Amino acid sequence: MNETPTPNSFRAGPDEEGRFGIYGGRFVAETLMPLILELEGAWNEARVDPEFLAEVAHLNKHYTGRPSPLYYAERLTEELRGVAAAQGLDGGAKIYFKRDELNHTGSHKINNCLGQILLARKMGKTRIIAETGAGQHGVAAATVAARFGFPCVVYMGATDVERQSPNVFRMKLLGAEVVPVTSGHGTLKDAMNEALRDWVTNVDSTYYLIGTAAGPHPYPELVREFQSVIGREAREQMLEMEGRLPDLLVAAVGGGSNAIGLFHPFLDDKDVAIVGVEAGGKGLDGEEHCASLTAGSPGVLHGNRTYLLQDGDGQIKEGHSISAGLDYPGIGPEHSWLKDTGRVEYVPIMDVEALEAFKMLTGTEGIIPALEPAHALAEVIKRAPKMGRDQIIVMNLCGRGDKDVHTVAKHLGMAI
Ligand SMILES: *Cc1c(COP(=O)(O)O)cnc(C)c1O
């Protein structure tokens, strides 16, 4: 967590202003500034405090179940070698999954929530607020709030409250208050606006537990650091299992937290290619996608400068994805910078491709993935047959599919 990167390192950012190149920073109301600075101070102490880091590590191990396995997907690898052979190719890379879907609460979100709740406690805060879209972050935030005895308010777009009722129920069971947000289209962007508004009015008591590597500095950095446990483990596990680093990393990007968590420890390994997968929805020619990096442009949203889906007047567009967790019209600022520098390639995957990948994984490996990592898998399915048999792909399987079975059933025309 506190290694010093080399000069000119891709791992050196953000700078003191919280910027990654021209992205990031902190564009917040003046009333929030003192709190942001207080948070930054607490974070800078915590990140080098051995006791704090030991407590994070302890909870990761005993509460979440880390390290998550790095799993060689042998049947899927063979299946795609068959696809390669049918095309007259001799290829088919070995595919490994980082199994973060096995974490407590079913996704990578808990890695970040545990780190931030300890930070909130260290700062003497007494109330937790969070925003959520699909509800995965809301559930993880409500979980750690229960574990540490904090009252918790989760802002959730009214549309999402209807679409994601099982997660709303889970949050309530865990003792959180779920506040439906009716402004805008009642989705994640509106929930995040409302959480920021709450924070301004309750600065003294309240800790804002943000769910992805976005928002004003220092959030993109601290969320990245808590999620980087994914990449640090994967690196070590790969060296142990294969004696070398992988050739390609692949992860789905919504706000970008699971992806930056896997990517960051590998950014200076120039022989490791890295691909982030955005929601291409129903195609990039219309409005029904959420590919902020591939089809958006830079602007300011939720306290930072980054790539956004916006119209000519800077109005934020809604976006669409079959997967509610990829349905964010922005992206963490570090990804914007990694795109512009060319270190990471970002590609869109369509809803239908993600569904096909979902089916293939379920059938070949007996793993029902969330629809978000199904996007990453669809890109793996495209690339693996074209790569050599001695090459290695690591994909972040960042969430399990229980939450998505209704959506999938509907799209496949199955009764549930
Ligand atoms: C929330 C979520 C995402 C998207 O968020 P990131 O910050 O981009 O990781 C992706 N996958 C799963 C399983 C999620 O729950």
Side-chain angles (χ1 to χ4, degrees):
M1 197 173 264
N2 46 356
E3 298 155 49
T4 328
T6 49
N8 300 323
S9 165
F10 281 104
R11 303 171 63 225
D15 68 15
E16 263 152 47
E17 310 292 322
R19 285 177 309 219
F20 302 90
I22 63 165
Y23 301 104
R26 43 186 152 213
F27 298 81
V28 297
E30 229 166 279
T31 37
L32 263 189
M33 210 48 195
L35 194 74
I36 289 274
L37 293 174
E38 186 200 356
L39 173 64
E40 187 183 12
W43 158 240
N44 282 333
E45 273 176 32
R47 66 187 305 183
V48 292
D49 174 359
E51 224 171 283
F52 180 88
L53 298 177
E55 193 162 9
V56 174
H58 180 87
L59 286 162
N60 276 342
K61 180 172 176 187
H62 297 281
Y63 191 65
T64 303
R66 304 207 71 90
S68 66
L70 184 68
Y71 168 70
Y72 174 42
E74 197 175 346
R75 287 242 306 152
L76 180 69
T77 299
E78 286 308 322
E79 176 89 11
L80 294 175
R81 283 179 177 170
V83 170
Q87 295 168 4
L89 300 169
D90 183 32
K94 285 179 88 168
I95 299 163
Y96 281 84
F97 294 132
K98 183 61 175 156
R99 302 281 311 270
D100 256 52
E101 102 280 13
L102 295 176
N103 294 342
H104 180 43
T105 71
S107 80
H108 64 288
K109 296 288 194 323
I110 193 86
N111 304 330
N112 167 48
C113 285
L114 278 174
Q116 288 202 57
I117 198 93
L118 292 177
L119 201 52
R121 194 186 59 181
K122 188 177 162 69
M123 291 172 75
K125 300 297 176 186
T126 54
R127 174 176 177 262
I128 301 296
I129 60 171
E131 85 295 336
T132 198
Q136 288 301 101
H137 174 59
V139 168
T143 297
V144 299
R147 167 65 181 75
F148 285 88
F150 283 91
C152 176
V153 176
V154 180
Y155 290 95
M156 186 169 189
T159 311
D160 289 334
V161 169
E162 294 222 346
R163 289 197 286 201
Q164 311 288 336
S165 56
N167 273 342
V168 174
F169 184 59
R170 267 181 213 122
M171 287 182 257
K172 288 183 177 166
L173 279 178
L174 289 159
E177 180 191 346
V178 179
V179 179
V181 177
T182 50
S183 56
H185 288 76
T187 57
L188 177 58
K189 160 179 70 69
D190 313 299
M192 206 152 166
N193 285 334
E194 209 52 41
L196 283 164
R197 224 165 278 149
D198 177 316
W199 201 23
V200 177
T201 25
N202 299 293
V203 279
D204 289 331
S205 63
T206 298
Y207 183 92
Y208 179 21
L209 206 173
I210 233 170
T212 191
H217 178 66
Y219 282 112
E221 179 186 54
L222 70 85
V223 175
R224 177 194 78 200
E225 289 299 307
F226 292 133
Q227 291 294 3
S228 289
V229 68
I230 300 171
R232 289 196 305 271
E233 284 176 7
R235 209 169 191 297
E236 206 174 289
Q237 290 165 323
M238 181 79 335
L239 289 172
E240 202 172 285
M241 294 171 81
E242 293 276 356
R244 68 177 186 91
L245 295 180
D247 299 283
L248 175 66
L249 302 176
V250 184
V253 291
S257 70
N258 87 84
I260 201 70
L262 175 66
F263 298 168
H264 195 260
F266 293 91
L267 286 177
D268 287 334
D269 299 302
K270 60 180 190 343
D271 294 334
V272 179
I274 307 183
V275 177
V277 182
E278 298 193 286
K282 295 181 184 167
L284 297 200
D285 11 336
E287 303 263 297
E288 291 192 80
H289 63 80
C290 230
S292 347
L293 288 166
T294 321
S297 55
V300 172
L301 178 68
H302 297 143
N304 69 103
R305 183 186 304 283
T306 192
Y307 276 86
L308 303 172
L309 295 178
Q310 53 187 338
D311 66 18
D313 300 326
Q315 288 295 318
I316 305 302
K317 295 190 202 169
E318 264 319 296
H320 156 85
S321 169
I322 189 173
S323 138
L326 299 184
D327 204 341
Y328 179 57
I331 175 75
E334 192 163 10
H335 287 289
S336 295
W337 177 73
L338 289 169
K339 172 192 160 73
D340 283 9
T341 57
R343 176 63 186 97
V344 178
E345 183 188 351
Y346 295 88
V347 297
I349 281 290
M350 309 306 141
D351 289 351
V352 287
E353 297 174 307
L355 273 173
E356 283 307 311
F358 176 99
K359 285 195 283 186
M360 187 185 273
L361 185 60
T362 307
T364 55
E365 294 288 345
I367 298 173
I368 301 180
L371 282 169
E372 294 88 356
H375 284 72
L377 184 64
E379 185 63 21
V380 168
I381 290 170
K382 286 184 187 179
R383 289 187 188 230
K386 295 181 197 139
M387 293 169 64
R389 283 172 173 252
D390 55 344
Q391 292 194 290
I392 298 170
I393 301 175
V394 172
M395 189 200 98
N396 198 12
L397 221 182
C398 57
R400 64 176 187 232
D402 311 36
K403 69 183 178 64
D404 293 323
V405 292
H406 285 87
T407 308
V408 172
K410 198 178 95 193
H411 284 273
L412 299 181
M414 289 162 73
I416 195 161

